[in-house]
Amino acid sequence: MLHVAIVQQSMLDEILSGRKTIESRLSSSRRTPFGQVRAGERVYFKVSGGAYGATALISHVETFENLKPTDIAAIRRLHNANIRGSAEYWKQKRSSRVATLMWIHKIEATEMGPILDDVPNWQPCSAWGVLSETLDLYPPMAA
C-alpha cells in the first residue's frame, strides 16, 4: 500500500533534517494507519493545508492497544528523541488507547505526491490516507 501522512510544517522540517525518524499516530480508537501499514511501504508527507514536502520508506512498525497513561509515558520516554513530540503533543495524547509507531528511512524531499482529489474515499479532513500503490509517483516521472 501507499500512504499519505498529513503533518504540521514543524514536523516536516524535523523529518527533512533527519532528526524525526519515527512517525507516531496515537488515538482513542483504531484509526488509520493502525493495522494498515507495513515495513517496506512508502509514505508521502504533506503539510496540513499545503503541499507535499517529503517521502520515505517505512522500515519497522509497532502497534499498541489498550494503552494507559503510564504506557503513553513509557512510549514518550523511550522514543521521543526520534518522534520529536512537544510537551503539548504528549499532553494531548496522554489518554490515547491505541498507537502506531513507524520508523522511517530513505527520507527525501519532494514536491510531488499522489493527487488526492481523484482518490475514491479520500476524506479531506483525514490525517492519514491509505492508497493504492498505482498512485505512487516515486521515482518522479521524467518531464
Side-chain angles (χ1 to χ4, degrees):
M1 298 305 294
L2 178 69
H3 304 274
V4 175
I6 308 301
V7 297
Q8 296 299 316
Q9 182 66 53
S10 60
M11 287 296 101
L12 177 62
D13 294 342
E14 292 286 329
I15 290 166
L16 289 169
S17 73
R19 292 184 298 264
K20 179 176 175 63
T21 58
I22 299 176
E23 178 61 20
S24 62
R25 297 294 162 136
L26 290 84
S27 62
S28 58
S29 62
R30 290 181 172 196
R31 292 186 194 151
T32 307
F34 186 88
Q36 297 181 38
V37 63
R38 309 262 182 285
E41 295 178 334
R42 177 167 304 284
V43 60
Y44 285 88
F45 294 92
K46 184 178 181 306
V47 173
S48 180
Y52 286 101
T55 185
L57 293 179
I58 298 166
S59 61
H60 178 71
V61 178
E62 291 185 17
T63 58
F64 305 89
E65 291 185 89
N66 302 314
L67 295 170
K68 298 176 182 73
T70 54
D71 300 320
I72 300 297
I75 291 171
R76 179 181 184 182
R77 189 172 50 256
L78 291 171
H79 299 295
N80 196 48
N82 295 348
I83 292 173
R84 310 294 290 180
S86 66
E88 183 61 27
Y89 171 81
W90 291 107
K91 182 178 178 182
Q92 291 174 357
K93 300 300 181 180
R94 70 179 168 216
S95 61
S96 295
R97 305 274 296 150
V98 175
T100 303
L101 302 182
M102 296 155 281
W103 279 252
I104 56 174
H105 70 128
K106 296 188 178 179
I107 299 162
E108 295 183 33
T110 185
E111 295 176 359
M112 298 173 56
I115 300 169
L116 300 176
D117 294 340
D118 299 334
V119 175
N121 302 320
W122 174 256
Q123 297 180 12
C125 295
S126 179
W128 192 279
V130 179
L131 312 175
S132 166
E133 289 177 347
T134 61
L135 296 172
D136 197 355
L137 300 176
Y138 192 88
M141 293 185 239

Short mmCIF file of all heavy atoms in Angstrom, two decimals, residues 26 64 66-81 83 85-87 89-99 101:
data_model
loop_
_atom_site.label_atom_id
_atom_site.label_comp_id
_atom_site.label_asym_id
_atom_site.label_seq_id
_atom_site.Cartn_x
_atom_site.Cartn_y
_atom_site.Cartn_z
N LEU A 26 -1.22 8.38 17.55
CA LEU A 26 -1.88 7.93 18.77
C LEU A 26 -3.31 8.45 18.77
O LEU A 26 -3.55 9.60 18.40
CB LEU A 26 -1.15 8.46 20.01
CG LEU A 26 0.23 7.86 20.27
CD1 LEU A 26 1.31 8.55 19.49
CD2 LEU A 26 0.55 7.92 21.75
N PHE A 64 0.21 -0.69 19.31
CA PHE A 64 -0.14 -0.91 20.72
C PHE A 64 -1.64 -0.66 20.89
O PHE A 64 -2.19 0.25 20.29
CB PHE A 64 0.62 0.06 21.62
CG PHE A 64 2.12 0.00 21.45
CD1 PHE A 64 2.74 0.81 20.50
CD2 PHE A 64 2.89 -0.84 22.22
CE1 PHE A 64 4.11 0.77 20.33
CE2 PHE A 64 4.27 -0.89 22.05
CZ PHE A 64 4.88 -0.09 21.10
N ASN A 66 -5.02 -0.87 24.02
CA ASN A 66 -5.38 -0.86 25.43
C ASN A 66 -4.35 -0.11 26.28
O ASN A 66 -3.99 -0.54 27.38
CB ASN A 66 -5.56 -2.29 25.95
CG ASN A 66 -6.62 -3.03 25.16
OD1 ASN A 66 -7.69 -2.49 24.90
ND2 ASN A 66 -6.31 -4.24 24.74
N LEU A 67 -3.87 0.99 25.73
CA LEU A 67 -2.86 1.78 26.43
C LEU A 67 -3.45 2.52 27.63
O LEU A 67 -4.62 2.92 27.62
CB LEU A 67 -2.23 2.79 25.47
CG LEU A 67 -1.43 2.20 24.32
CD1 LEU A 67 -1.07 3.29 23.31
CD2 LEU A 67 -0.19 1.51 24.83
N LYS A 68 -2.61 2.71 28.60
CA LYS A 68 -2.93 3.51 29.78
C LYS A 68 -1.98 4.71 29.78
O LYS A 68 -0.96 4.69 29.09
CB LYS A 68 -2.73 2.67 31.04
CG LYS A 68 -3.64 1.46 31.10
CD LYS A 68 -3.31 0.62 32.35
CE LYS A 68 -4.16 -0.62 32.40
NZ LYS A 68 -3.78 -1.64 31.43
N PRO A 69 -2.28 5.74 30.55
CA PRO A 69 -1.38 6.90 30.61
C PRO A 69 0.08 6.52 30.93
O PRO A 69 1.00 7.13 30.39
CB PRO A 69 -2.00 7.77 31.69
CG PRO A 69 -3.46 7.47 31.59
CD PRO A 69 -3.52 5.99 31.31
N THR A 70 0.27 5.50 31.74
CA THR A 70 1.65 5.08 32.05
C THR A 70 2.34 4.49 30.82
O THR A 70 3.55 4.65 30.66
CB THR A 70 1.68 4.06 33.20
OG1 THR A 70 0.80 2.97 32.87
CG2 THR A 70 1.25 4.68 34.51
N ASP A 71 1.56 3.83 29.95
CA ASP A 71 2.13 3.29 28.71
C ASP A 71 2.53 4.43 27.76
O ASP A 71 3.58 4.36 27.11
CB ASP A 71 1.12 2.38 28.01
CG ASP A 71 0.72 1.19 28.85
OD1 ASP A 71 1.58 0.61 29.53
OD2 ASP A 71 -0.49 0.85 28.84
N ILE A 72 1.68 5.45 27.68
CA ILE A 72 2.00 6.61 26.84
C ILE A 72 3.27 7.28 27.36
O ILE A 72 4.16 7.65 26.58
CB ILE A 72 0.83 7.62 26.82
CG1 ILE A 72 -0.45 6.98 26.27
CG2 ILE A 72 1.21 8.87 26.03
CD1 ILE A 72 -0.38 6.51 24.85
N ALA A 73 3.38 7.40 28.67
CA ALA A 73 4.60 7.99 29.26
C ALA A 73 5.83 7.15 28.91
O ALA A 73 6.90 7.71 28.65
CB ALA A 73 4.43 8.11 30.77
N ALA A 74 5.68 5.85 28.90
CA ALA A 74 6.81 4.97 28.56
C ALA A 74 7.19 5.13 27.09
O ALA A 74 8.39 5.18 26.76
CB ALA A 74 6.46 3.52 28.86
N ILE A 75 6.21 5.23 26.20
CA ILE A 75 6.50 5.46 24.78
C ILE A 75 7.24 6.78 24.63
O ILE A 75 8.24 6.86 23.91
CB ILE A 75 5.20 5.43 23.94
CG1 ILE A 75 4.64 4.01 23.88
CG2 ILE A 75 5.45 5.99 22.54
CD1 ILE A 75 3.25 3.91 23.26
N ARG A 76 6.78 7.78 25.32
CA ARG A 76 7.45 9.09 25.25
C ARG A 76 8.90 8.99 25.73
O ARG A 76 9.81 9.47 25.07
CB ARG A 76 6.69 10.11 26.10
CG ARG A 76 7.33 11.47 26.10
CD ARG A 76 6.59 12.46 26.97
NE ARG A 76 7.17 13.79 26.86
CZ ARG A 76 6.74 14.83 27.53
NH1 ARG A 76 5.70 14.73 28.35
NH2 ARG A 76 7.34 15.99 27.39
N ARG A 77 9.08 8.36 26.85
CA ARG A 77 10.42 8.23 27.43
C ARG A 77 11.37 7.46 26.50
O ARG A 77 12.51 7.84 26.29
CB ARG A 77 10.32 7.54 28.79
CG ARG A 77 11.58 7.53 29.61
CD ARG A 77 11.36 7.00 31.03
NE ARG A 77 10.65 5.73 31.09
CZ ARG A 77 9.37 5.57 31.43
NH1 ARG A 77 8.61 6.61 31.74
NH2 ARG A 77 8.81 4.37 31.45
N LEU A 78 10.87 6.38 25.91
CA LEU A 78 11.70 5.53 25.06
C LEU A 78 11.96 6.11 23.66
O LEU A 78 13.03 5.89 23.09
CB LEU A 78 11.06 4.15 24.90
CG LEU A 78 11.04 3.27 26.14
CD1 LEU A 78 10.17 2.04 25.89
CD2 LEU A 78 12.46 2.86 26.51
N HIS A 79 10.97 6.82 23.12
CA HIS A 79 11.04 7.15 21.69
C HIS A 79 10.95 8.62 21.32
O HIS A 79 11.09 8.95 20.14
CB HIS A 79 9.94 6.39 20.94
CG HIS A 79 10.05 4.91 21.04
ND1 HIS A 79 11.11 4.20 20.51
CD2 HIS A 79 9.24 3.99 21.63
CE1 HIS A 79 10.94 2.91 20.75
NE2 HIS A 79 9.82 2.77 21.43
N ASN A 80 10.73 9.51 22.28
CA ASN A 80 10.51 10.89 21.88
C ASN A 80 11.72 11.55 21.23
O ASN A 80 11.56 12.49 20.45
CB ASN A 80 10.00 11.76 23.03
CG ASN A 80 9.41 13.05 22.50
OD1 ASN A 80 8.60 13.04 21.58
ND2 ASN A 80 9.83 14.18 23.05
N ALA A 81 12.91 11.08 21.49
CA ALA A 81 14.08 11.65 20.81
C ALA A 81 13.94 11.51 19.30
O ALA A 81 14.45 12.35 18.55
CB ALA A 81 15.35 10.96 21.30
N ILE A 83 10.65 10.74 17.85
CA ILE A 83 9.30 11.19 17.50
C ILE A 83 9.26 12.71 17.42
O ILE A 83 8.58 13.28 16.58
CB ILE A 83 8.26 10.67 18.52
CG1 ILE A 83 8.13 9.15 18.38
CG2 ILE A 83 6.90 11.36 18.32
CD1 ILE A 83 7.26 8.49 19.45
N GLY A 85 8.02 14.86 19.59
CA GLY A 85 6.77 15.46 20.04
C GLY A 85 7.02 16.52 21.10
O GLY A 85 7.87 16.35 21.98
N SER A 86 6.26 17.59 21.04
CA SER A 86 6.36 18.66 22.04
C SER A 86 5.64 18.23 23.32
O SER A 86 4.89 17.25 23.33
CB SER A 86 5.70 19.93 21.50
OG SER A 86 4.30 19.72 21.33
N ALA A 87 5.84 18.99 24.37
CA ALA A 87 5.13 18.73 25.63
C ALA A 87 3.62 18.80 25.40
O ALA A 87 2.87 18.00 25.95
CB ALA A 87 5.57 19.72 26.70
N TYR A 89 2.01 18.11 22.59
CA TYR A 89 1.62 16.90 21.87
C TYR A 89 1.36 15.77 22.86
O TYR A 89 0.32 15.10 22.80
CB TYR A 89 2.73 16.51 20.88
CG TYR A 89 2.52 15.16 20.23
CD1 TYR A 89 1.67 15.01 19.14
CD2 TYR A 89 3.18 14.02 20.70
CE1 TYR A 89 1.48 13.78 18.53
CE2 TYR A 89 3.00 12.79 20.09
CZ TYR A 89 2.15 12.67 19.01
OH TYR A 89 1.96 11.45 18.42
N TRP A 90 2.31 15.54 23.76
CA TRP A 90 2.17 14.43 24.71
C TRP A 90 1.02 14.67 25.69
O TRP A 90 0.34 13.74 26.09
CB TRP A 90 3.49 14.17 25.42
CG TRP A 90 4.49 13.60 24.47
CD1 TRP A 90 5.58 14.24 23.94
CD2 TRP A 90 4.47 12.30 23.88
NE1 TRP A 90 6.23 13.40 23.07
CE2 TRP A 90 5.57 12.20 23.01
CE3 TRP A 90 3.62 11.20 23.99
CZ2 TRP A 90 5.86 11.05 22.28
CZ3 TRP A 90 3.90 10.06 23.25
CH2 TRP A 90 5.00 9.99 22.41
N LYS A 91 0.78 15.92 26.02
CA LYS A 91 -0.36 16.24 26.89
C LYS A 91 -1.67 15.87 26.19
O LYS A 91 -2.56 15.27 26.79
CB LYS A 91 -0.34 17.72 27.24
CG LYS A 91 -1.44 18.15 28.18
CD LYS A 91 -1.34 19.63 28.52
CE LYS A 91 -2.47 20.05 29.42
NZ LYS A 91 -2.41 21.50 29.71
N GLN A 92 -1.77 16.19 24.91
CA GLN A 92 -2.98 15.87 24.14
C GLN A 92 -3.16 14.37 23.95
O GLN A 92 -4.28 13.89 23.84
CB GLN A 92 -2.93 16.54 22.77
CG GLN A 92 -3.06 18.02 22.81
CD GLN A 92 -2.85 18.65 21.43
OE1 GLN A 92 -2.55 17.98 20.45
NE2 GLN A 92 -2.99 19.97 21.38
N LYS A 93 -2.06 13.63 23.91
CA LYS A 93 -2.11 12.20 23.62
C LYS A 93 -2.12 11.31 24.86
O LYS A 93 -2.24 10.09 24.74
CB LYS A 93 -0.91 11.80 22.74
CG LYS A 93 -0.88 12.52 21.41
CD LYS A 93 -2.11 12.23 20.59
CE LYS A 93 -2.08 12.91 19.25
NZ LYS A 93 -3.29 12.63 18.46
N ARG A 94 -2.06 11.88 26.04
CA ARG A 94 -1.91 11.07 27.25
C ARG A 94 -3.06 10.10 27.51
O ARG A 94 -2.88 9.09 28.19
CB ARG A 94 -1.67 11.96 28.47
CG ARG A 94 -2.86 12.76 28.88
CD ARG A 94 -2.59 13.61 30.10
NE ARG A 94 -3.67 14.57 30.25
CZ ARG A 94 -3.51 15.78 30.68
NH1 ARG A 94 -2.33 16.21 31.04
NH2 ARG A 94 -4.53 16.58 30.77
N SER A 95 -4.25 10.36 26.97
CA SER A 95 -5.37 9.44 27.17
C SER A 95 -5.61 8.53 25.96
O SER A 95 -6.64 7.87 25.87
CB SER A 95 -6.64 10.22 27.51
OG SER A 95 -6.98 11.08 26.45
N SER A 96 -4.67 8.50 25.04
CA SER A 96 -4.80 7.62 23.87
C SER A 96 -4.83 6.17 24.31
O SER A 96 -4.18 5.78 25.27
CB SER A 96 -3.63 7.84 22.91
OG SER A 96 -3.67 9.13 22.38
N ARG A 97 -5.56 5.37 23.56
CA ARG A 97 -5.68 3.94 23.86
C ARG A 97 -4.97 3.07 22.82
O ARG A 97 -4.75 1.90 23.04
CB ARG A 97 -7.16 3.55 23.93
CG ARG A 97 -7.98 4.37 24.89
CD ARG A 97 -7.97 3.89 26.30
NE ARG A 97 -8.57 2.58 26.35
CZ ARG A 97 -8.24 1.65 27.24
NH1 ARG A 97 -7.34 1.91 28.15
NH2 ARG A 97 -8.82 0.48 27.23
N VAL A 98 -4.64 3.69 21.67
CA VAL A 98 -4.07 2.97 20.55
C VAL A 98 -2.90 3.79 19.98
O VAL A 98 -2.98 5.01 19.94
CB VAL A 98 -5.14 2.78 19.44
CG1 VAL A 98 -4.56 2.15 18.21
CG2 VAL A 98 -6.31 1.95 19.97
N ALA A 99 -1.84 3.10 19.56
CA ALA A 99 -0.70 3.80 18.96
C ALA A 99 -0.11 2.99 17.82
O ALA A 99 -0.08 1.75 17.87
CB ALA A 99 0.37 4.06 20.01
N LEU A 101 3.54 3.24 15.76
CA LEU A 101 4.85 3.87 15.60
C LEU A 101 5.48 3.31 14.34
O LEU A 101 5.54 2.09 14.15
CB LEU A 101 5.76 3.59 16.79
CG LEU A 101 5.25 4.00 18.17
CD1 LEU A 101 6.31 3.69 19.22
CD2 LEU A 101 4.85 5.45 18.21
#
